[in-house]
Amino acid sequence: MVRSPLREVTPIPAGATLGVMGGGQLGSMFAMAARRLGYRVEAISDVADCPAALHADRVHVVPYADATALERIAAGLAAVTFEFENVPVEAARAMAAIIPCRPAPDVLFTTQDRAREKAFLVSHGFACAPHRTVRSREQLHAAVAALGLPAVLKTAAFGYDGKGQRKLESPPDADAAWGALGPAECVLEGWVDFDCEISVVAARGQAGEVAVFEPSLNVHSRHILDLSSAPSGLPQPVLDEARDVTARILEALGVVGAACVEFFVTGSGAVLVNEIAPRPHNSGHLTIAACETSQFEQQVRALCGLPLGPVSQRAPAAMANLLGDCWAAGEPDWPAALAVPGVSLMLYGKSEPRPGRKMGHLTALAPTVEEALANVTRARALACRPS
Ligand code: AMP
């Protein structure tokens, strides 16, 4: 699905240097896509040994609080983007004062805080879980009384992969959860009894055109994404609604770049927005092997004012994350995994395989999504030998 352009833009020419705030695997895959399109890439990270160092032309290791250093770096770039939403908004604003930052720092501001993101969703009429913002133990008790249990308490800021979350099953859990997460501002969400979780990656260009990828079906394990597959097999009206909501969210936020909207799908087929990520997303990694244009190439194209690419999928696909746990018995058996038909491997170049750390992913393409899922899980089981 591609919505048509609204106005002319002047593209950033090949050979120019692009910046990416953040040095993780998303920055690394952005750099790969950017270099293929002829750009130089400089990553800005607060750690030297980062995945982006593998593919960026240069990594600037600076604290995000050092506005002077960021402005000096910005002076050497044509434009900048970010690869994770915990980049301080002040850092994005410091760079945006010198060069275009896409998506704009205001998008980061809204989406890096669950309370602000929920307020955005509510004010625009996008359906999400019932919730209350809580700033004290008393407010938490009032929110529990209003929403009922079970519920999930989430810190408003700096949460990812289930970090900063506590499920509340019975009233005494409230004090324990507040003890663990307070006094930071939190959001209490009513429990959504969902059938499944899907996500939709889309890109929006500088002229306002939007390209929406096929929604993917996501399975989490220990709060971390485990498997994504597309097509999801869900009824067409559900998929149409999720794609339409995603496009309208990108428009309402004014995103220029790639972004992902995660949804809960209920038994009645309602889609509730769970989270917005204003950048490429783990569930979109299968677009690298499966789609005519990857989510990272879309991010580069949007940043640089190039036409967005076609998002059609070449074949049904499934992606399995490779966490550090897979290294428990030493280096995984990649030859065994790669012998499975249609399987490709992406490793992020992280030196320390800690449990729960995202180290890479496998993607399988197959004639059916069931085969793709079976092959990617078989490939992972073959690679990750038990210790
Ligand atoms: P999040 O970090 O908000 O994406 O939450 C991580 C995972 O926790 C989600 O993908 C869901 O599987 C689960 N979860 C989060 N919020 C809720 C909720 N309100 N109701 C049910 N499950 C939830």
Side-chain angles (χ1 to χ4, degrees), residues 81 102-104 201-206 209 211 250 254-260 278-280 295 298-303 308:
T81 189
R102 299 176 183 130
V201 176
R204 185 168 177 272
Q206 291 174 38
E209 74 279 26
L250 266 65
V255 169
V256 174
C260 177
R279 45 146 178 94
Q295 60 171 352
Q298 295 290 53
Q299 182 186 23
V300 177
R301 288 179 180 228
L303 175 63
L308 297 180

Side-chain angles (χ1 to χ4, degrees), residues 69-81:
L70 294 175
E71 286 165 11
R72 180 179 40 75
I73 295 162
L77 304 174
V80 68
T81 189

Side-chain angles (χ1 to χ4, degrees), residues 114 118 129-130 150-152 154 159-163 165 167 188-194 197 218 220 223-224 262-264 274-275:
R114 287 185 197 276
K118 289 277 198 289
V152 198
K154 305 179 178 183
Y160 66 97
D161 288 346
K163 294 191 172 62
Q165 295 194 17
K167 186 174 178 187
L188 185 74
E189 282 183 28
W191 189 252
V192 179
D193 194 13
F194 56 79
E197 294 183 85
N218 301 327
H220 295 82
H223 292 285
I224 304 172
E262 293 179 76
F263 295 93
F264 299 130
N274 173 24
E275 269 193 328

